[in-house]
Amino acid sequence: MAAEAAGAADAGRAPRLPPRWLQAPPLLTVEMHTGGEPLRVIPRLEAAEAAVASSGLSLLALRRHVAATQDHVRRALVHEPRGHRGMYGALVVRGEAAVGDADLAALFLHGAGYSAMCGHAVLALGRFALDYGLVAAPRCPETPVRLRCPCGVVTAFVPWDGRRSGNPVRFHSVPAFAAATDVPIDVPGHGKVVVDIGYGGTFYAFLSAEQLGLDVCSSKTRDLVSAASAVTEAVKKQFPLHHPESEDLAFLYGTILTDGKDAFSEEPTTNICVFADEQVDRCPTGSGVTARIALQYHKGLIQLNQSRTFRSSTTGSLFTGKAVKASALCWSFPLARGLRGRCCCCGSVEGQKSLSVPGWGGGRCLGVLLSHKQGFFIREGCNGNT
C-alpha cells in the first residue's frame, strides 16, 4: 500500500531533470538583434584573450587563431541545436593588447566561419558596451563607442540617458570603396551577368535581381538565395580580389541582390544579402549598405551627406546611410560613411562551458535561462539535446 502511495505521488511530480555539470565555468551570452538580424554576444572567452596577451596577436591574426583552436565555441553557439541557420555571433575580446585605444574589440561569427566586419553587430555592440559598463565615461545625450574590428576601428554613436542606451544607433565605418564596376561574370545556369564589387569592411558583389530573372521584392527567398550563391561562387573563380592593407581581408563575403534602384531617391531601395554558406541577412546588412553607398557615390548617383534608406526584402527593416567624407587614400575610390539603424537586447542565456563539443567535455548538461512575459525559467538537457 505504501509503495502504491509513493508511486502515485511520484506520478504527480514533474520528471526529474538530469543534474547540471557545475565543474566548468559558465559561458554567458547576451541575445540581441538589429533590424531582425540576431546577434549572440559572447562577452568573454579567456582562451582568446590569453592568446592575445601571450603572443601579441592582431585582431586579424586572432581571427585565424580562434578559427584554428576555438572553433568548437562558434559551432556550439551558432549551429543547431543552440543556434540556427540564420544565427550570427560576436565574441568580445578584452585586454589592452586587443583593444588598444578602442573601448572594446570583437570577432564576428556566422554559420560558416568568421567575418572581418559586421554592421548590424556594431550597432548592437554599441548598446551592449554602454549597458554593460565597458565605456568609462558615457555622456548624454549620445556617447561614441570605439570598436576594434578585424577590418579596423569603427565608431558607434549611441543615445544615452544617464542610465541606459537607446535607439537609433549610428556608426562611422572604416573607409569603403568601389573595388570594380561593370564586371562581366558567367554564372552557371544564368548566363552572363554584370556585377559591381564594393568594400565596406568586407567585399560584396552587387547586381539587380532582374539580371537573374528574379524580383528582389516578390520572388521566393529560396530562388533568390540559390541565384545569389551561384553569383558568389562565379565571382570567386573569375575575379581575384585584393585589399591594400591585408590579404586576410581579400575575400568575397557574399552577394547582394538589389531592386536596381541605385540612383538617389527619397524612397527606400530594397536588397537581400546572401553570405557565408547561403546564410540570409534579415536586416539590410550594415557592411553591405556601406559598400553599396561607396559604389553609388563612385558612380555619381548620390552626393556627400545625401541620405538613402535601404530596406531588407525579408523583414522590411530599414537602415539609413550616407557618404560623409571622400578621402584621397592610396587605393581606388575610398569613402568613409555613416549608417544608422535600430537594435535591442532581447535577453540573456547562461550555459555551462561543457557543451558536449570537443575540448569542452562530452555528455554534459546545458542549463539555459529563458525569458517570457512573466519572468524566467530554466530548461536543462543532456548530450546536446537542449
Side-chain angles (χ1 to χ4, degrees):
M1 183 69 73
E4 290 179 2
D10 289 340
R13 297 174 186 166
R16 183 175 179 179
L17 294 173
R20 297 176 65 187
W21 182 254
L22 300 177
Q23 294 184 5
L27 182 71
L28 175 71
T29 74
V30 177
E31 308 300 303
M32 305 186 73
H33 82 88
T34 306
E37 176 69 0
L39 184 70
R40 176 162 285 170
V41 182
I42 309 164
R44 190 163 200 178
L45 184 64
E46 293 181 2
E49 295 175 7
V52 174
S54 62
S55 305
L57 299 178
S58 68
L59 209 56
L60 267 177
L62 179 64
R63 176 172 166 264
R64 293 194 304 270
H65 175 80
V66 168
T69 66
Q70 302 295 317
D71 196 52
H72 53 279
V73 178
R74 178 190 64 84
R75 297 194 306 271
L77 295 179
V78 173
H79 291 175
E80 298 277 4
R82 300 167 191 89
H84 53 78
R85 187 167 182 81
M87 179 58 74
Y88 206 96
L91 169 60
V92 176
V93 186
R94 304 186 190 184
E96 186 176 350
V99 175
D101 59 352
D103 294 298
L104 70 160
L107 299 178
F108 305 119
L109 325 175
H110 53 75
Y114 303 80
S115 179
M117 171 59 181
C118 178
H120 94 273
V122 168
L123 293 169
L125 287 171
R127 294 196 63 176
F128 170 84
L130 286 183
D131 291 334
Y132 281 77
L134 301 185
V135 179
R139 57 179 183 263
C140 300
E142 185 180 70
T143 297
V145 179
R146 286 174 55 82
L147 172 63
R148 185 172 298 280
C149 307
C151 66
V153 176
V154 302
T155 302
F157 297 88
V158 186
W160 177 251
D161 65 5
R163 298 183 305 109
R164 58 173 297 175
S165 66
N167 276 315
V169 182
R170 59 191 176 94
F171 76 90
H172 285 172
S173 179
V174 295
F177 57 91
T181 59
D182 302 323
V183 180
I185 298 292
D186 288 314
V187 182
H190 297 277
K192 183 167 289 187
V193 299
V194 177
V195 306
D196 296 332
I197 299 174
Y199 178 83
T202 188
F203 287 97
Y204 294 91
F206 294 84
L207 73 161
S208 67
E210 185 179 8
Q211 289 195 62
L212 302 165
L214 300 169
D215 186 299
V216 75
C217 297
S218 61
S219 294
K220 293 181 179 179
T221 300
R222 180 66 261 173
D223 295 338
L224 294 168
V225 170
S226 297
S229 298
V231 172
T232 297
E233 294 308 310
V235 172
K236 287 179 178 179
K237 294 175 181 177
Q238 299 172 41
F239 190 87
L241 290 171
H242 171 70
H243 191 280
E245 293 182 341
S246 173
E247 288 306 306
D248 277 354
L249 297 172
F251 63 93
L252 187 70
Y253 191 34
T255 291
I256 296 180
L257 303 181
T258 77
D259 58 8
K261 299 177 181 178
D262 287 315
F264 176 75
S265 171
E266 298 288 349
E267 297 297 318
T269 175
T270 303
N271 60 232
I272 181 173
C273 174
V274 182
F275 65 97
D277 184 17
E278 297 193 340
Q279 195 164 333
V280 178
D281 200 327
R282 299 175 187 180
C283 72
T285 307
S287 55
V289 165
T290 304
R292 192 175 174 196
I293 288 175
L295 286 163
Q296 291 173 346
Y297 177 79
H298 166 65
K299 291 184 171 184
L301 301 175
I302 61 171
Q303 305 301 315
L304 290 181
N305 294 306
Q306 194 171 46
S307 294
R308 288 222 64 188
T309 301
F310 300 83
R311 178 168 49 209
S312 163
S313 72
T314 56
T315 65
S317 60
L318 303 174
F319 282 175
T320 301
K322 62 183 178 180
V324 296
K325 180 182 178 183
S327 56
L329 299 179
C330 60
W331 60 88
S332 61
F333 319 129
L335 178 71
R337 39 75 64 200
L339 182 141
R340 62 187 290 168
R342 302 182 69 85
C343 54
C344 72
C345 178
C346 303
S348 64
V349 176
E350 182 174 349
Q352 300 304 306
K353 193 172 181 180
S354 50
L355 295 177
S356 303
V357 291
W360 284 3
R364 305 307 182 190
C365 299
L366 173 69
V368 181
L369 179 65
L370 301 172
S371 65
H372 55 90
K373 286 185 178 179
Q374 297 176 331
F376 297 88
F377 61 91
I378 295 291
R379 177 184 177 188
E380 295 194 55
C382 195
N383 295 323
N385 297 318
T386 59

